[in-house]
Amino acid sequence: MHYMTRAGAVRAVDGVTFSVERGQSLGLVGESGCGKSSIAISLLKILPDSARILSGSILLEGVDILPLSEDEMREYRWKRISMVFQAAMNSLDPVYRVGDQIIEALELHVGSAPSEAVERVRELYDLVGLNHSFIPRYPHEYSGGMKQRAIIAMALACEPAIIVADEPTTALDVIVQDRILREMRKVRDALDMSMIYISHDMAVIAEVSDVVGVMYAGRIVEFGETKDVFENPIHPYTRALMSAFPSVTGEKRELATLPGEPPNLLAPPSGCRFHPRCPYATEECRSQPPPTVRRGVHWADCWNPPEDQSP
Amino acid sequence: MSPQRTYSQTQPSLWKARLTLATRSLRQSWTLFLATRIGVIGLAIIAFYALLAAAHPILMMFVWEERVYDPVVGYAFEETRQPAPPSLKHPLGTDPLGRDVLSQLMFSARSEFMLGLLAALVTVSIGTIVGAVSAYFGGVVDAVLMRLADIMIMLPVISVLVVLSALIGVEHFELAIIIGIVSGFGATGVVLKSQALSVVVKPYVEAAKTAGGGHVHVIFVHVVPNLLPLSFLYMMFTVTGAIFSEAVLSFLGLLDVRMSWGLMIHVTESAGYLLQVTEYWWLIFPASLSITLLCSSFYLVGRSLDEVVNPRLRQL
Amino acid sequence: MAHYLVKRSAQILLTLFVFLSLVFFIVNAQPGDVSSFYALNPDIPPETRERMQDLFGVNDPLWKQYLVHVRNTFTGNFGVSFSHYPRTVADIIRERLPRTLALFLTASVISFYLGFALGKIIAWRRGGWTEYTSTIGGVTLYTVFTPWFGLMMIWLFAFRAGWFPIGKFLDPVLWRDAPTDANAIFNRMILSAIVVSIAVFALFAVTAKRRMAHSRLIRIGGLALSALAVAAAWFATGTGYLAWDILKHMILPVATLTLISFAGTMLLTRNSMLETMREDYVMAARAKGLPEKDVRDRHVARNALLPIVTSFVFSLAFAVDGGVIIEQIFSWPGMGQTLVSAALTEDLPLAVGAFVFVGVFVLIAHLAADILYVYLDPRIRY
Ligand SMILES: Nc1ncnc2c1ncn2[C@@H]1O[C@H](COP(=O)(O)OP(=O)(O)O)[C@@H](O)[C@H]1O
Ligand code: SF4
Ligand SMILES: [Mg+2]
């Protein structure tokens, strides 16, 4: 997926392939600007005007949603695939009551009568641990954590098959963050939903996901079961990300062992996109795209992978 | 060495750095400005009228006979009937009093520019000082200035000028000053204050204060220069307002001016030709179109400057 | 909310006093006292002049004069007009204020509705010729020399096409042996308009609240029905032709004023919509699967409305000036035309009185905008 800007095409997502099983949780991790949110909005096809999906396919329960028209797509949104937004704080419309915003989705997709819809909102509030008295209140009366719960309740409203959660807890303090993570896991287990969980924080990903994809500069550079990736990371970028955790403050911090920033995606570096920052970079890294190293389902794209340390 | 000394010594280089920065950003802004297109159209119209204004005294001196072509007291003797339609000698015809319309048009262009410039200068001087002072001192000073701004913003300026014209008599100079005051203490002052608020919290302002710079010094050396680009933008809207108000007032016959575009239409109206739009088009269209074009050109330039200054409005 | 409104009302009251002081200052800045206006006019008998001297307290110290000036404003005592001698200024204003309100409010409501609807559409269809032409057209209407534009409207639709009368409030020939005087008829017309608007507003509110099907049909039907009912009532009383005469005189000035002021709302709406469209809740609304029209109207436009109401205050002065100009061009005998002709005939008491009323009107409109804002934004309401 590319953003067409005046300065040229920003290749925000470039050759990414992954799949999620029913009930499975996939984590996507990477620094900000790596294209994680771009993947998320592509999955629902809620792209800004400047964005184009040039090629590829997105299969949802076996149907490719890319060629679908807006009208057909609307049937999928929220009912089959819903989303918890990165900026949860601002994802609620300030001029409507929170309860009404959830009911809006219910009436649209489930077609429930007003009284049933209100009943359903009560259930959802119970599920995410919010007090019923907040249903008829406005977003500005909610605290940050409460807004986040409300957003999660809204995402669950139509019992979608898959939820995309884009940095759902980044803006919250660690304690609230922890509680919400636990609740999300509980809800997911209870409802047997799939989930794509996006974060820049390795610690969070480790906690919530079954499989992990590590993103760098618009590509997935390493992929595998969470356990494998964490115990035996292959890609130098993954290792750099891991050295930055555990997080104590929950704030965005510099990667300790990794100076610099992700590249400008207007003109990504040649060869391995990570080479300008990689401590192990060699000549071929600069000129040739790296080969895929496979260890079972666990793989990574790198010229100079470390020794396999698994038994 | 006292901190005061160090401070004043760094000043020349400070200004130099500022100048380099300014030229660089000016060049960037110019590129952006050119990309807006509407701004370029506006600029072209302004240039056209500036040319007309500049050519008038030259024509009067070398080509046009004063007895015939004077915009106020001239008379087209060779025409048998006034107003006369356009001819070679009078490309835009003559008015009901036998005066050359083109000469009137060109003569008035100059006074419109002077009026607009004066009003804009008054606006900017008042606006930047009000904005800077209000943001710098805050508190009571701010409260008083902002209440005053409230009323200036709500003041229907043309109605005020109508009343004033009955009370004291208004000419171009008074008109420019009044418009400058209303806009400077009003909308322009408010906008510049919000800009100044982001300037007064900058470290260098704090540093200048601790280095012992007096209030006046800090305001004029560190705050005001940062407001100038934005105030330049608001100058454009003031010019539009000034030209428009002048035209309305002189059209109503409430302004003591010898000649202006609005007055040209007023004369047409008094002579009863106002609704003979097709038969006597040269009495109505040149002046009306000039007012409209010059007003919109400054407005267009202002709008594109707005896009240059506020990146939010730019299209990606 | 109450707190906010009290604060705003206090501020506006303060502004009113500053405004009155300004008027006082201007009037007293010129040579001679207020009563010397009256001395200039040979038609005014000396008794009246003395009465006016008492009214304005010209022999008192300045601060007392100021208090008298404020009191006179609140009691509507502006003295006697010269050009309409012996009518009082208050009497003239009482007659003309409704005419101005009718003209101005009708034009404002229509232009707001039109500007908002169009701005919404332009912002939604970014780019392309719709945006280009409407922006050009909008800027042209916004900066056009208003008197000329009014003139062209008169020339085109009244003079050439003959569809409407050329200016003025009514056709004197028609009214020569009318059973009722024009002001009574006009007041009844305003009453009818209020009745119709209340009916339509109630229908709007009910259909919006219940989210009824065919809400548009019900609304338009309701509007048509209530308008028909009122029209029938008029013709039943036999004064319908008189009301129609006034209405015919009103259409062109209202249309002109609407055209010049709607462009501002349209451009503003467009910008505000474009900013709101970037908000996260808009993307969320789309992700929920709402149809584009609902995303646009319920979420984007509803939020874009807030800054538009705020900047309404900024454009108020511009709109009032536009009204003054249009009244003058169309010889519509309202406050604006009164102000200009009073200035032209140097009828100072009338000019000052009319101006004070224009100022008070702006302040009231400001307060109305504040109340509307409170109603629209729950962040302030609660
Ligand atoms: N609307 C947009 N227009 C142009 N470029 C964009 C836009 N949104 C994101 N980008 C660019 O796309 C890249 C990926 O952004 P994003 O998907 O938000 O990354 P992440 O979620 O990982 O932080 C970044 O380089 C960003 O600058
Ligand atoms: S391919 Fe080379 S540059 Fe890229 S991650 Fe591996 S070692 Fe580093
Ligand atoms: Mg992101």
Side-chain angles (χ1 to χ4, degrees):
Chain A
M1 188 261 260
H2 294 187
Y3 293 103
M4 303 303 179
T5 67
R6 231 184 239 175
V10 175
R11 299 147 157 211
V13 181
D14 192 356
V16 167
T17 303
F18 59 82
S19 63
V20 190
E21 309 284 320
R22 177 144 203 114
Q24 197 184 35
S25 166
L26 166 83
L28 282 179
V29 66
E31 284 163 287
S32 89
C34 286
K36 305 182 301 293
S37 299
S38 303
I39 290 189
I41 58 175
S42 300
L43 292 176
L44 277 94
K45 287 216 299 180
I46 42 171
L47 306 168
D49 287 346
S50 61
R52 304 267 185 298
I53 298 177
L54 296 183
S55 65
S57 61
I58 299 172
L59 298 177
L60 185 61
E61 297 171 326
V63 181
D64 188 359
I65 60 168
L66 279 190
L68 293 186
S69 71
E70 264 299 293
D71 281 328
E72 291 166 324
M73 193 56 215
R74 268 206 299 280
E75 287 300 306
Y76 279 88
R77 288 187 192 133
W78 228 249
K79 208 153 132 193
R80 311 304 312 152
I81 176 166
S82 71
M83 182 160 175
V84 177
F85 285 90
Q86 174 162 14
M89 298 301 133
N90 306 321
S91 300
L92 291 166
D93 190 327
V95 303
Y96 295 110
R97 298 166 200 280
V98 176
D100 287 344
Q101 297 188 45
I102 300 178
I103 291 174
E104 187 178 37
L106 282 169
E107 281 184 340
L108 189 71
H109 293 294
V110 189
S112 29
S115 59
E116 282 171 46
V118 172
E119 193 45 47
R120 174 83 181 124
V121 174
R122 290 219 180 90
E123 280 170 38
L124 289 165
Y125 267 49
D126 285 337
L127 203 62
V128 296
L130 276 174
N131 194 310
H132 288 178
S133 68
F134 274 86
I135 294 174
R137 301 237 183 137
Y138 287 92
H140 70 274
E141 297 172 280
Y142 282 56
S143 70
M146 287 163 71
K147 274 189 217 168
Q148 192 60 62
R149 285 161 199 263
I151 293 276
I152 294 169
M154 187 148 89
L156 294 171
C158 307
E159 301 189 338
I162 179 163
I163 291 191
V164 183
D166 188 2
E167 313 235 7
T169 58
T170 304
L172 304 174
D173 67 70
V174 211
I175 301 170
V176 183
Q177 191 173 348
D178 217 48
R179 248 197 337 247
I180 289 191
L181 280 182
R182 223 171 310 134
E183 244 137 49
M184 282 189 80
R185 218 168 28 197
K186 212 172 67 197
V187 168
R188 181 173 61 87
D189 291 344
L191 301 180
D192 188 32
M193 282 185 292
S194 314
M195 181 136 149
I196 295 177
Y197 200 103
I198 295 174
S199 176
H200 65 271
D201 191 340
M202 275 292 204
V204 170
I205 292 291
E207 207 164 320
V208 294
S209 49
D210 307 326
V211 284
V212 186
V214 180
M215 279 199 78
Y216 187 75
R219 294 215 164 130
I220 291 187
V221 294
E222 177 157 5
F223 189 90
E225 304 247 334
T226 307
K227 187 166 147 290
D228 293 340
V229 173
F230 274 79
E231 286 173 3
N232 264 318
I234 302 174
H235 202 277
Y237 179 62
T238 314
R239 280 179 271 161
L241 278 180
M242 292 196 0
S243 66
F245 114 99
S247 112
V248 191
T249 54
E251 281 166 20
K252 216 166 108 179
R253 60 234 110 97
E254 294 277 311
L255 298 179
T257 55
L258 195 63
E261 289 173 356
N264 183 347
L265 294 178
L266 275 170
S270 60
C272 171
R273 293 185 175 183
F274 188 52
H275 81 250
R277 298 166 76 191
C278 181
Y280 309 103
T282 52
E283 192 44 51
E284 50 199 350
C285 301
R286 280 179 260 281
S287 52
Q288 302 292 325
T292 304
V293 183
R294 286 182 193 282
R295 290 172 186 167
V297 286
H298 182 188
W299 58 263
D301 287 341
C302 182
W303 279 111
N304 307 309
E307 290 298 305
D308 189 351
Q309 285 155 9
S310 58
Chain B
M1 216 178 359
S2 71
Q4 181 71 54
R5 285 270 310 276
T6 338
Y7 174 65
S8 50
Q9 271 175 354
T10 57
Q11 234 177 298
S13 66
L14 176 77
W15 277 104
K16 216 163 123 195
R18 214 172 247 162
L19 204 70
T20 0
L21 274 178
T23 19
R24 191 180 320 146
S25 76
L26 212 62
R27 210 169 306 134
Q28 280 171 357
S29 307
W30 179 244
T31 324
L32 283 172
F33 180 81
L34 287 181
T36 58
R37 257 181 304 178
I38 53 165
V40 181
I41 296 174
L43 216 53
I45 298 173
I46 294 174
F48 173 71
Y49 278 100
L51 222 61
L52 282 192
H56 187 259
I58 301 172
L59 283 173
M60 286 305 284
M61 199 130 38
F62 300 111
V63 186
W64 283 346
E65 196 185 338
E66 192 164 335
R67 208 162 55 100
V68 177
Y69 286 96
D70 186 280
V72 184
V73 295
Y75 189 82
F77 295 100
E78 72 289 350
E79 300 287 353
T80 45
R81 280 181 54 216
Q82 308 293 358
S87 60
L88 269 182
K89 284 197 75 176
H90 303 286
L92 286 177
T94 63
D95 82 344
L97 302 177
R99 303 173 293 188
D100 183 76
V101 172
L102 181 62
S103 173
Q104 292 181 333
L105 200 72
M106 292 169 77
F107 174 82
S108 307
R110 183 176 49 180
S111 47
E112 301 292 348
F113 274 111
M114 306 234 284
L115 169 85
L117 195 69
L118 181 60
L121 283 180
V122 176
T123 304
V124 167
S125 323
I126 297 178
T128 37
I129 293 175
V130 164
V133 165
S134 193
Y136 182 86
F137 290 109
V140 180
V141 178
D142 178 45
V144 169
L145 284 175
M146 287 303 113
R147 277 293 78 67
L148 191 64
D150 261 2
I151 195 161
M152 290 299 177
I153 286 169
M154 284 187 285
L155 220 49
V157 125
I158 290 179
S159 309
V160 172
L161 288 166
V162 166
V163 173
L164 282 179
S165 70
L167 279 166
I168 54 173
V170 177
E171 294 173 30
H172 272 175
F173 182 76
E174 287 90 350
L175 184 99
I177 301 288
I178 290 165
I179 287 181
I181 289 176
V182 169
S183 168
F185 278 106
T188 308
V190 171
V191 173
L192 291 179
K193 179 204 150 188
S194 56
Q195 171 81 0
L197 277 177
S198 66
V199 175
V200 291
V201 295
K202 291 268 165 66
Y204 56 80
V205 174
E206 213 41 57
K209 270 198 254 182
T210 45
H215 293 318
V216 176
H217 175 87
V218 175
I219 288 176
F220 278 94
V221 176
H222 295 278
V223 183
V224 167
N226 288 295
L227 303 181
L228 288 181
L230 201 63
S231 59
F232 185 66
L233 190 167
Y234 278 85
M235 267 171 87
M236 299 299 148
F237 297 130
T238 310
V239 174
T240 300
I243 295 175
F244 189 87
S245 312
E246 190 278 339
V248 171
L249 254 72
S250 56
F251 162 71
L252 295 176
L254 287 168
L255 220 53
D256 301 328
V257 288
R258 293 172 65 225
M259 184 45 58
S260 84
W261 292 336
L263 193 64
M264 289 165 72
I265 311 175
H266 178 71
V267 169
T268 306
E269 185 189 22
S270 323
Y273 292 106
L274 205 52
L275 282 178
Q276 270 131 301
V277 171
T278 38
E279 298 88 336
Y280 293 98
W281 58 268
W282 65 92
L283 294 181
I284 299 160
F285 281 90
S288 313
L289 274 178
S290 294
I291 299 165
T292 303
L293 281 176
L294 201 59
C295 280
S296 33
S297 63
F298 279 103
Y299 176 77
L300 289 178
V301 170
R303 261 185 67 129
S304 15
L305 283 178
D306 206 6
E307 280 187 31
V308 173
V309 178
N310 298 329
R312 283 177 304 119
L313 298 175
R314 268 204 302 272
Q315 252 175 304
L316 272 173
Chain C
M1 166 177 72
H3 173 78
Y4 173 81
L5 277 185
V6 167
K7 197 178 119 203
R8 290 305 283 160
S9 308
Q11 273 178 0
I12 283 178
L13 209 62
L14 189 71
T15 317
L16 177 64
F17 275 97
V18 179
F19 171 70
L20 291 180
S21 315
L22 210 67
V23 172
F24 182 75
F25 170 78
I26 292 170
V27 170
N28 280 280
Q30 60 123 32
D33 62 52
V34 191
S35 67
S36 64
F37 301 164
Y38 293 89
L40 296 170
N41 194 312
D43 296 342
I44 311 258
E47 316 86 77
T48 312
R49 209 174 100 210
E50 274 157 33
R51 207 150 42 77
M52 288 305 125
Q53 279 178 343
D54 281 349
L55 176 64
F56 296 121
V58 289
N59 299 320
D60 295 329
L62 212 57
W63 64 270
K64 222 167 175 180
Q65 280 187 42
Y66 174 71
L67 290 183
V68 167
H69 161 76
V70 171
R71 191 197 62 206
N72 285 348
T73 305
F74 282 103
T75 53
N77 243 327
F78 298 103
V80 176
S81 152
F82 316 153
S83 50
H84 297 81
Y85 186 78
R87 288 182 74 185
T88 62
V89 171
D91 184 39
I92 297 171
I93 290 177
R94 203 171 306 124
E95 173 190 278
R96 307 209 165 159
L97 192 61
R99 299 173 184 174
T100 290
L101 288 180
L103 181 72
F104 192 80
L105 292 182
T106 317
S108 301
V109 169
I110 299 177
S111 76
F112 185 85
Y113 198 83
L114 215 63
F116 189 64
L118 275 172
K120 217 161 72 173
I121 293 169
I122 307 172
W124 212 246
R125 298 206 197 122
R126 223 38 250 270
W129 66 272
T130 8
E131 182 174 19
Y132 207 69
T133 44
S134 48
T135 309
I136 298 272
V139 170
T140 312
L141 280 175
Y142 190 70
T143 53
V144 72
F145 183 48
T146 316
W148 179 54
F149 183 67
L151 191 71
M152 293 320 278
M153 293 287 283
I154 295 179
W155 179 74
L156 206 63
F157 295 108
F159 189 71
R160 291 298 290 266
W163 296 341
F164 302 103
I166 301 176
K168 298 248 177 346
F169 183 58
L170 42 77
D171 178 4
V173 181
L174 192 68
W175 287 75
R176 206 158 33 209
D177 33 41
T180 341
D181 88 311
N183 293 332
I185 295 278
F186 192 62
N187 289 341
R188 257 181 262 162
M189 287 170 70
I190 290 179
L191 203 68
S192 319
I194 292 174
V195 169
V196 173
S197 348
I198 289 178
V200 170
F201 188 79
L203 261 178
F204 254 78
V206 170
T207 47
K209 183 125 199 163
R210 294 267 171 87
R211 298 234 182 104
M212 280 204 247
H214 309 300
S215 60
R216 169 166 291 188
L217 207 71
I218 296 175
R219 286 169 189 181
I220 293 176
L223 175 66
L225 263 177
S226 50
L228 259 171
V230 167
W234 272 101
F235 283 94
T237 60
T239 47
Y241 74 102
L242 295 173
W244 174 240
D245 184 49
I246 294 183
L247 208 60
K248 249 186 353 198
H249 281 82
M250 211 174 135
I251 292 174
L252 207 51
V254 166
T256 310
L257 194 53
T258 302
L259 279 175
I260 54 175
S261 48
F262 108 99
T265 312
M266 182 180 81
L267 297 175
L268 199 67
T269 305
R270 170 184 167 270
N271 282 351
S272 180
M273 288 280 290
L274 289 180
E275 297 229 327
T276 313
M277 275 156 72
R278 297 181 187 178
E279 296 285 348
D280 296 307
Y281 52 77
V282 174
M283 196 188 262
R286 200 170 274 148
K288 275 202 258 181
L290 291 179
E292 284 292 292
K293 197 172 152 296
D294 285 358
V295 176
R296 184 189 73 189
D297 293 349
R298 252 192 254 164
H299 293 280
V300 184
R302 177 65 176 70
N303 279 283
L305 196 56
L306 297 175
I308 297 172
V309 172
T310 312
S311 55
F312 167 78
V313 175
F314 281 80
S315 63
L316 201 57
F318 183 78
V320 166
D321 277 339
V324 169
I325 296 168
I326 293 298
E327 281 192 6
Q328 177 67 16
I329 299 287
F330 284 86
S331 317
W332 178 263
M335 296 299 289
Q337 198 254 0
T338 304
L339 182 71
V340 175
S341 56
L344 280 169
T345 54
E346 309 221 331
D347 182 349
L348 293 176
L350 187 56
V352 170
F355 179 64
V356 167
F357 257 85
V358 169
V360 170
F361 172 74
V362 171
L363 283 173
I364 291 174
H366 187 175
L367 194 61
D370 273 352
I371 293 172
L372 183 66
Y373 194 89
V374 168
Y375 172 75
L376 287 175
D377 191 345
R379 281 162 290 190
I380 296 177
R381 210 182 328 153
Y382 290 93

